[in-house]
């Protein structure tokens, strides 16, 4: 009996591996989808997940089916219409060879190719889900466009949808047409011959129908282009201008009609078999589109508009001004003339006493290190690089506050303690809020804390009145496993105490349950971690917390919003809650100027990485439509419909009816901490630099355009950020929490006259009554300074500070002690009948544990400069010994950081200061001599003596009355470091 080789298993192995691979990929896909379902369901926003994904799936299916059917039937019809014989033997042989090669896989290709194109088309269509949902749920704006008289909603919600449908169908017709023509050619219905191109009757009908469909869609596209002209941003001004209205729009209508007529000729040709008329019609359409769509508008622009541009474009410039201001919320701005004085008269600040008392001295961008060194307690805690400015009621008065939360820093856990269990089960949360008075500091320059310590104590509450644990924040770990059955050992690191580190078990509902084996498997796949599946740190009651950044959390539950770059914490209703601002935007508002969000919101904060930059998207309409809160303990998200009159938000509320609450349900505590959002303000101030001008003739000439000044405290040429502060504007009867910025003349080629032209403030006080928004909230006030009044701008004020002999000598002296002098934010305030500049000056010694302390305050008014250890003393210098108002740090006047001598006469203090400065000068000279001799030991001793002398000088200066003149500072050259010149 013959024997042979055993049957090969290769034939069954390959399909098995393919099936296994498909099952694995499918289960991974399922794991990611189902964990998203669990996340949304736990958070209470499953409606958003279902609606978005069903919409995407439905649109994908529609796009896939349309493309698949069009391509499939184009190929099938062409194949079925193939001729039986081809007269040319050479061509027949080539075609037969191609057909023979294709035949074994023909059925697969005839289905696979349409499927492939369908997948691409479906994916592209699904990405447009927001346009589709807005179209079917649109709300009217109640405003008509100035050209066609249509409601703005047509341009924002209908026209984008129609453009998407038209463009999609055009691509379907083109791809299906190409597929059909290639099939006709492959099977001989279309042949290239010596006398021309031969096409069978079936191929002619196919081409005619395809061409007619294409031309009809092209005609629709031409017609829609008439309306899209109002959204154009290609000219100097947005919208349809003179040439568009008088040349482009009429010719688009002509082209639309012509395209439909030529389409009819194609249909007629398919019936009668004569192709001369459609060919002539197509040629005429191409020529007409070139002449009427390109040449004619160019002629009108060059020979009619350019010679009289200001006159002819005046009407359209006015449309652009009006619609841009309306689209960006600038149409209700209050503009007042401000005849600022440059003369600092005695008692000038008396009418602004409340504003003066609240002037903020703590720079939230510089004192993070101070918060860290004084309040971090453990290396596994951290504070953000830029803190936040808010306000709280303290002793019956509103106090500007610099605030931050003590977040977890898992990267700073000791190396020998790192591992999956510690990273995800033990170190899970931060602890407590730290807040300091914005207008005060301690005698030695440290923040004066309102809330601090572990356990958390202060005027904002303690562990018994608010929940201090921070599970959800800007620096939370990727995921944490929390929760345990009642009575189980506590495993989470909580906070340090006098008896050691305390342990804690999460008590809230912050994430999906991960206690079941099935959920463990799903999340082990999602986070690619076998430890999650095998660790004893996961128990039946465990929850998994992830997607913990407040901004990203809001973006997931409200995908239709653009989220502000700055989320800030507030202690409200017994919890720490992050407050996040959300915007509804569009780029389709007619006659409105488009802005790149990333460019408009860029400043020294975003370029330094202290603030999150917005995406590089284009908008020409924006509303702060949503205020969101994210609970720092359990991560719960609440969305409030803040601008409930915004048509875009109303439309999205119809799409997601259960996801937003009316702001009438907002508590009074939350209401008292909402503020005008920074990114919206930055977009508005950028536009207002030009659109404060409402006269079209002046706007055309751009002779009164403004720019946001560069930040004078940094070396790079980037815009100064806006500042939050409590400020009483000239027309207000009491201070309000405001977001402010200033303007200088337009910057051209990187240069501008740095004089102040305008000051902008946005009222950020929404009140503290539950569900009631203060009428004044969001009011924009613009102070215009007449150009004939030469008020120094921020750059000039900074230059005055830097070039003032007394200031520069004193700062140089401070720099001698191996310390850095840091210039704080330069605040601009319209007080005293003019413009007051205030800048805190910090001193930071070298070393890893050093932190900046506030040592001096610079002030300027007109051409005068004041410089003293306190703001109050500096203002007295500036205003002739009596400013008329007390600053918030007036209690520090005359005090010294060490060994104060109460009641010491000014003469003694001056003598002490002079002696200390002499010692400092001698130490500087000794250091220079030691350095020249390469005696580094002696140099070190000289530096110690210099530091001691500087401390004596600071103490002595603090004892001198405010109005007393400053003693001269040493004039020796700065001592080089031991490494200089090497």
């Amino acid at each position: 009996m013959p024997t042979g080789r055993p049957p090969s298993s290769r034939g069954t192995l390959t399909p098995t591996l393919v099936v296994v691979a498909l099952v694995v990929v499918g289960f991974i896909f399922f794991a990611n989808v189902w964990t998203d379902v669990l996340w949304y369901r736990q958070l209470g926003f499953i409606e958003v997940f279902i609606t978005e994904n069903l919409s995407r799936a439905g649109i994908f299916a529609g796009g896939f089916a349309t493309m698949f059917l069009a391509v499939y039937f184009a190929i099938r019809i062409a194949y079925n219409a193939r001729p039986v014989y081809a007269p040319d033997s050479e061509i027949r042989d080539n075609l037969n060879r191609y057909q023979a090669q294709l035949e074994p896989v023909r059925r697969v290709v005839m289905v696979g190719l349409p499927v492939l194109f369908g997948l691409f088309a479906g994916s592209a269509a699904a990405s447009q889900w927001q346009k589709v949902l807005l179209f079917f749920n649109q709300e009217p704006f109640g405003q008509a466009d100035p050209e066609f008289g249509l409601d703005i909603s047509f341009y924002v919600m209908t026209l984008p949808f129609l453009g998407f449908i038209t463009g999609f169908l055009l691509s379907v017709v083109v791809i299906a047409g190409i597929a059909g023509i290639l099939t006709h050619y492959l099977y001989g219905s279309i042949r290239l011959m010596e006398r021309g191109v031969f096409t069978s009757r079936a191929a002619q009908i196919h081409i005619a129908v395809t061409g007619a469909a294409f031309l009809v869609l092209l005609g629709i596209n031409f017609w829609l282009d008439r309306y899209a002209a109002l959204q154009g941003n290609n000219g100097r001004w947005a919208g349809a201008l003179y040439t568009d209205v008088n040349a482009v729009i009429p010719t688009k209508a002509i082209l639309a009609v012509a395209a439909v007529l030529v389409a009819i000729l194609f249909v007629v040709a398919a019936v009668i078999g004569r192709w001369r008329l459609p060919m002539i019609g197509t040629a005429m359409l191409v020529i007409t589109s070139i002449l009427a769509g390109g040449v004619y508008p160019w002629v009108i622009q060059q020979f009619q508009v350019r010679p009289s541009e200001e006159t002819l474009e005046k009407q359209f410039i006015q449309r652009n001004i009006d619609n841009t201001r309306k689209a960006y919320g600038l149409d209700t701005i209050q503009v007042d003339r401000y005849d600022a004085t440059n003369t600092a008269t005695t008692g000038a600040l008396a009418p602004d006493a409340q504003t003066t008392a609240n002037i903020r001295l703590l720079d939230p961008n510089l004192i993070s290190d101070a918060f860290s060194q004084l309040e971090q307690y453990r290396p596994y805690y951290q504070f953000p690089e830029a803190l936040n400015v808010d306000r709280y009621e303290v002793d019956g008065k509103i106090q500007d506050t610099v605030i931050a939360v003590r977040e977890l820093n898992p990267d700073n856990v000791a190396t020998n303690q790192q591992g999956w269990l510690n990273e995800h089960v033990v170190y899970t949360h931060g602890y407590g809020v730290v807040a300091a008075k914005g207008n005060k500091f301690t005698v030695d320059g440290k923040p004066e804390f309102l809330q601090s310590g572990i356990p958390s104590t202060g005027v904002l509450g303690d562990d018994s009145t608010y929940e201090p644990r921070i599970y959800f924040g800007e620096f939370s770990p990727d995921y944490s496993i929390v929760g345990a059955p009642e009575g189980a050992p506590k495993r989470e690191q909580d906070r340090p105490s006098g008896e050691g580190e305390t342990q804690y078990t999460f008590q809230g509902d912050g994430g999906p349950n991960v206690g079941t084996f099935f959920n463990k498997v799903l999340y082990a796949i999602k986070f690619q971690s076998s430890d999650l599946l095998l660790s004893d740190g996961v128990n039946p009651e465990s929850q998994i917390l992830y997607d913990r950044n407040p901004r990203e959390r809001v973006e997931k539950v409200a995908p239709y919003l653009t989220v502000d770059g700055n989320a800030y914490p507030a202690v409200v209703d017994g919890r720490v809650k992050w407050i996040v601002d959300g915007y509804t935007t569009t780029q389709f508002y007619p006659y409105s100027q488009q802005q790149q969000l990333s460019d408009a919101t860029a400043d020294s904060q975003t370029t330094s990485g202290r603030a999150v930059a917005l995406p590089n998207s284009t908008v020409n309409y924006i509303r702060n439509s949503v205020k969101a809160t994210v609970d720092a303990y359990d991560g719960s998200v609440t969305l409030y419909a803040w601008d409930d009159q915004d048509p875009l938000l109303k439309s999205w509320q119809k799409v997601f009816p259960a996801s937003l609450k009316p702001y009438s349900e907002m508590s009074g505590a939350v209401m008292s901490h909402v503020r005008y959002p920074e990114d919206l303000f930055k977009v508005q101030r950028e536009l207002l630099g030009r659109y404060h001008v409402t006269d079209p003739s002046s706007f055309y000439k751009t002779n009164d355009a403004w720019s946001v000044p560069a930040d004078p405290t940094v070396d790079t040429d980037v815009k100064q950020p806006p500042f939050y502060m409590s400020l009483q504007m000239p027309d207000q009867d009491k201070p309000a929490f405001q977001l402010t910025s200033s303007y200088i003349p337009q910057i051209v080629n990187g240069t501008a006259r740095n004089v102040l032209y305008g000051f902008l403030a946005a009222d950020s006080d929404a009140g503290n009554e539950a569900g009631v928004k203060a009428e004044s909230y969001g009011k924009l006030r613009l102070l215009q300074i007449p150009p004939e009044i030469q008020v120094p701008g921020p750059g000039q004020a900074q230059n005055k500070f830097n070039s003032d002999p007394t200031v520069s000598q004193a700062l140089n002296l401070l720099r001698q002690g191996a310390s850095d002098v840091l210039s704080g934010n330069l605040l601009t305030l319209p007080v005293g009948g003019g413009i007051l500049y205030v800048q805190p000056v910090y001193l930071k010694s070298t070393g890893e544990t050093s932190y900046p302390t506030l040592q001096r305050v610079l002030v300027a008014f007109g051409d005068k400069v004041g410089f003293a250890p306190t703001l109050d003393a500096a203002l007295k210098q500036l205003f002739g010994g009596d400013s008329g108002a007390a600053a918030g740090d007036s209690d520090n006047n005359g005090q010294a950081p060490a060994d104060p001598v109460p009641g010491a006469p000014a003469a003694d203090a001056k003598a002490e200061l002079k002696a200390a400065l002499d010692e400092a000068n001698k130490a500087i000279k000794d250091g220079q001599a030691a350095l020249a001799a390469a005696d580094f030991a002696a140099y070190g001793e000289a530096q110690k003596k210099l530091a001691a002398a500087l401390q004596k000088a600071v103490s002595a200066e603090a004892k001198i009355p405010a109005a007393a003149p400053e003693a001269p500072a040493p004039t020796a050259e700065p001592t080089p470091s031991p490494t200089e010149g090497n």
Side-chain angles (χ1 to χ4, degrees):
M1 200 173 163
T3 60
R5 291 185 303 173
S8 172
S9 62
R10 182 176 298 177
T12 58
L13 180 59
T14 301
T16 302
L17 291 176
V18 170
V19 170
V20 170
L22 290 175
V23 169
V24 170
V25 171
F27 190 76
I28 292 173
F29 176 77
F30 169 78
N32 283 282
V33 172
W34 190 248
T35 51
D36 278 346
V37 171
L38 295 176
W39 188 88
Y40 279 96
R41 189 170 64 186
Q42 183 275 329
L43 204 54
F45 286 88
I46 190 64
E47 168 197 63
V48 175
F49 179 83
I50 292 174
T51 302
E52 177 182 346
N53 285 281
L54 283 181
S55 300
R56 286 179 178 272
I59 298 168
F60 174 87
F64 174 86
T66 303
M67 181 64 78
F68 172 83
L69 293 174
V71 176
Y72 176 79
F73 281 109
I75 295 175
R76 172 61 65 181
I77 291 170
Y79 176 76
N80 291 339
R82 67 192 184 282
V84 179
Y85 301 105
D88 188 284
S89 59
E90 182 179 351
I91 294 177
R92 181 179 60 202
D93 290 343
N94 288 332
L95 291 177
N96 286 340
R97 186 165 55 251
Y98 294 144
Q99 293 167 12
Q101 293 174 351
L102 179 63
E103 189 60 29
V105 293
R106 176 179 56 80
R107 298 179 186 275
V108 174
V109 171
M110 292 181 69
V111 175
L113 200 61
V115 167
L116 181 63
F117 281 115
L119 290 174
F120 283 117
S123 299
S127 66
Q128 304 296 313
W129 67 277
Q130 293 194 15
K131 290 180 181 177
V132 176
L133 291 183
L134 278 179
F135 172 73
F136 287 107
N137 296 276
Q138 61 183 281
E139 283 283 321
F141 276 66
Q143 305 163 19
D145 82 84
E147 179 62 28
F148 296 103
L150 300 174
D151 190 88
I152 300 297
S153 61
F154 170 80
Y155 297 91
V156 173
M157 304 181 207
T158 299
L159 191 58
F161 171 77
L162 296 179
F164 154 63
I165 294 296
T166 305
F168 180 80
L169 292 178
L170 275 169
S171 65
V172 169
V173 169
V174 169
I175 293 172
I178 292 173
I181 290 171
L182 289 176
T183 306
H184 279 298
Y185 174 78
L186 183 63
Y187 287 95
S189 296
I190 299 176
R191 298 192 299 275
L192 301 177
M193 305 178 67
E194 292 182 1
R195 291 175 295 177
V197 179
F198 167 80
T199 55
S200 68
R201 178 65 176 157
Q204 291 179 4
I205 295 174
H206 195 156
I207 293 172
V209 171
T210 300
F214 177 81
L215 287 167
V216 168
L217 291 171
L218 187 64
I220 294 173
N221 201 55
F222 280 137
W223 189 261
L224 294 179
D225 282 346
R226 298 166 62 250
Y227 304 106
L230 275 63
Q231 301 167 328
N233 266 265
N234 298 322
R236 290 176 59 187
W237 309 281
L241 304 178
Y242 182 89
T243 299
D244 298 306
V245 170
N246 293 280
V248 174
I249 291 177
T251 55
K252 291 291 183 181
I254 294 171
L255 289 172
V257 173
V260 173
L261 292 176
V262 177
I264 295 173
L265 292 179
F266 268 89
V267 174
V268 172
V271 175
I272 66 176
R274 297 182 179 274
W275 291 88
R276 185 175 182 180
L277 286 179
M279 292 298 100
I280 294 174
T282 301
M284 292 300 297
L285 180 62
V286 172
I287 295 171
T288 304
S289 63
I290 294 173
L291 294 177
V295 176
Y296 176 59
W298 181 84
V299 170
I300 295 295
Q301 181 67 31
Q302 294 297 315
F303 299 103
Q304 185 173 350
V305 175
R306 285 191 64 180
S308 308
E309 188 174 48
E310 181 179 350
T311 302
L312 296 180
E313 300 287 23
K314 184 175 182 179
Q315 171 189 358
F316 306 103
I317 294 173
Q318 188 66 61
R319 292 179 179 181
N320 172 239
I321 294 172
D322 294 341
N323 282 269
T324 298
R325 286 170 63 93
K326 189 169 294 183
Y328 288 95
L330 301 174
D331 53 327
T332 58
I333 189 171
Q334 176 181 312
V335 181
D336 296 310
R337 178 185 172 100
Y338 189 61
D339 294 313
T341 179
N342 284 320
T343 304
T345 58
T346 301
L349 297 184
D352 301 292
Q354 289 180 286
T355 296
T356 305
N358 281 316
I359 294 176
R360 180 169 52 77
L361 295 172
L362 293 190
D363 184 344
N365 302 314
L366 292 182
I367 62 169
S368 177
D369 287 344
F371 272 49
S372 296
Q373 291 299 322
L374 300 173
E375 288 293 326
Q376 184 170 314
Y377 289 100
R378 290 290 188 272
Y380 52 78
Y381 289 135
Q382 66 176 320
F383 291 98
E385 187 176 355
L387 310 186
N388 283 285
V389 179
D390 202 350
R391 68 282 191 201
Y392 286 85
E393 186 174 330
V394 179
D395 297 329
K397 296 182 180 179
I398 299 300
Q399 171 72 58
D400 282 10
T401 306
V402 177
I403 188 171
V405 294
R406 190 184 289 108
E407 290 204 54
L408 183 68
N409 184 4
D411 294 334
N412 255 15
V413 176
T415 305
N416 61 355
Q417 293 181 338
Q418 291 179 357
W420 185 89
L421 193 70
N422 275 346
E423 290 176 6
H424 300 289
V425 177
V426 176
Y427 293 96
T428 59
H429 62 276
Y431 182 89
V433 167
V434 178
K437 296 179 180 179
N439 62 341
K440 296 184 179 182
F441 54 94
T442 63
V443 179
D444 54 352
K446 299 175 183 176
E448 187 171 316
F449 291 106
L450 291 166
Q451 188 78 21
S452 61
I454 294 179
S456 182
T457 57
V459 299
L460 308 187
D462 55 37
D463 286 14
S464 64
T465 60
Y466 89 99
E467 174 54 68
R469 295 169 182 86
I470 311 297
Y471 282 89
F472 293 83
E474 295 176 310
F475 302 101
S476 298
D478 288 342
Y479 69 94
S480 294
I481 309 297
V482 299
E486 188 174 350
K490 298 177 179 179
R491 309 190 68 164
E492 297 180 48
Q493 180 73 34
D494 191 32
R495 61 174 174 81
S497 69
E499 302 175 356
E501 307 293 324
T502 62
Q503 306 302 308
Y504 182 75
T505 298
F506 180 74
Q507 301 296 318
D509 180 17
N513 179 275
V514 73
T516 66
F517 178 77
F518 183 65
N519 283 4
K520 284 183 186 180
V521 172
L522 295 180
Y523 280 104
I525 292 173
K526 180 178 181 67
F527 292 107
Q528 302 178 16
S529 171
S530 60
D531 295 296
L532 196 152
L533 183 63
L534 303 174
S535 172
D536 66 349
V538 185
N539 59 71
E541 298 298 322
S542 289
Q543 302 171 38
I544 183 167
L545 313 182
Y546 60 99
D547 289 336
R548 298 159 74 176
N549 185 292
R551 293 183 65 257
E552 295 172 1
R553 213 162 170 82
V554 172
E555 286 174 338
K556 283 193 70 172
V557 302
Y560 49 89
L561 293 178
T562 300
V563 175
D564 190 88
N566 187 17
Y568 59 99
V571 180
V572 293
D573 303 323
R575 307 297 280 259
V576 178
K577 293 193 176 183
W578 297 92
I579 300 178
V580 185
D581 287 285
Y583 309 117
T584 44
T585 63
T586 184
Q587 60 178 347
F588 302 117
Y589 198 98
Y591 276 107
S592 179
Q593 195 70 36
Q594 290 185 352
Q595 291 273 85
Q596 290 285 339
L597 282 181
S598 56
D599 293 340
T601 58
D603 58 21
S604 59
Q605 292 292 87
T606 59
T607 54
S608 66
R610 293 193 182 103
V612 177
L614 288 192
N616 189 28
S617 56
T618 301
V619 303
N620 65 3
Y621 172 94
I622 185 169
R623 289 290 184 272
N624 178 207
S625 54
V626 172
K627 300 280 188 184
T629 62
V630 179
D631 194 299
Y633 183 74
D634 63 18
S636 57
V637 179
T638 305
L639 304 178
Y640 295 101
W642 186 249
D643 187 350
D644 53 7
Q645 299 304 308
D646 173 38
L648 277 175
L649 183 64
K650 288 181 179 180
S651 299
W652 286 119
Q653 283 181 291
K654 291 169 69 175
V655 176
F656 305 112
S659 64
L660 286 105
K661 294 183 177 180
Y663 74 80
S664 59
E665 296 185 21
M666 186 181 286
S667 71
V670 175
M671 187 73 72
S672 66
H673 289 285
V674 301
R675 64 189 193 186
Y676 202 84
E678 289 183 71
D679 286 327
L680 171 62
F681 184 80
K682 287 192 280 189
V683 170
Q684 290 176 319
R685 74 170 180 175
E686 187 71 17
L687 277 164
L688 202 60
R690 285 188 297 154
Y691 286 89
H692 68 278
V693 177
T694 56
D695 176 67
S697 296
S698 298
F699 192 89
Y700 173 83
K701 297 170 185 174
T702 63
N703 57 6
D704 191 23
W706 302 343
S707 293
V708 176
D711 190 342
T713 66
V714 298
D715 296 331
T716 54
D717 186 19
V718 291
K719 287 176 283 192
Q720 187 180 43
F723 299 118
Y724 287 103
M725 66 179 80
S726 287
L727 173 67
Q728 181 177 336
M729 293 290 279
D731 68 311
Q732 293 179 294
D733 55 6
K734 62 179 181 179
F737 193 63
Q738 317 244 22
L739 184 56
T740 65
S741 186
S742 55
Y743 290 104
I744 61 173
Q746 185 177 28
I747 298 174
V748 180
N749 297 326
T751 60
R753 294 173 57 237
N754 207 285
V755 294
L756 205 67
Y757 270 20
F759 180 85
L760 179 65
D763 194 314
S764 294
D765 272 338
N768 56 9
E769 187 177 347
V772 178
K773 188 195 310 183
E775 291 184 6
S776 60
Y777 173 84
K779 185 175 184 60
L780 295 173
R781 292 179 173 87
L782 176 64
L783 300 181
Q784 283 189 290
I785 301 173
E788 62 270 16
I789 301 178
Q790 300 292 304
V791 176
Q796 282 191 11
Q798 188 69 55
N799 288 335
K800 289 181 186 295
F801 292 154
N802 296 339
S803 60
D804 184 271
T806 302
V807 173
S808 61
Q809 288 177 1
L811 295 182
N812 284 335
L813 177 61
L814 291 174
R815 292 187 180 100
Q816 296 307 312
S819 298
D820 293 327
V821 175
L822 307 176
S823 297
N825 45 207
L826 182 61
L827 302 182
T828 306
L829 300 99
V831 294
I835 297 295
L836 172 68
Y837 290 100
V838 177
Q839 184 176 60
V841 178
Y842 293 85
L843 188 66
K844 182 180 180 181
S845 62
T846 56
E848 293 183 0
T849 60
S850 64
Y851 59 89
T853 57
L854 199 154
Q855 294 295 328
R856 296 291 186 274
V857 181
L858 284 161
V859 293
F861 194 98
D863 293 326
K864 290 189 66 177
V865 172
F867 183 57
T870 65
L871 173 61
D872 191 73
L875 291 176
K876 288 179 179 178
Q877 287 183 17
L878 194 64
F879 290 95
D882 179 15
S883 66
D889 64 347
S890 59
D891 292 342
N892 288 1
N893 287 341
Q895 297 189 44
D899 301 323
V901 183
D908 293 343
K910 293 177 189 176
E912 291 178 23
L913 176 59
K914 185 177 184 307
L917 294 176
D918 289 341
E919 290 180 24
N921 263 326
K922 184 177 184 306
I924 291 172
K925 293 175 181 178
D926 290 346
Q928 290 173 331
L931 193 61
D935 187 349
F936 296 114
Y939 175 80
E941 289 297 322
Q943 291 303 297
K944 291 180 181 179
K945 292 179 181 179
L946 176 59
L950 289 174
Q951 185 61 56
K952 290 180 183 179
V954 170
S955 301
E957 187 183 15
K959 303 173 189 176
I960 301 174
E966 303 243 358
T971 57
E973 291 297 319
T975 305
S977 68
T979 58
E980 278 187 332
N982 293 343

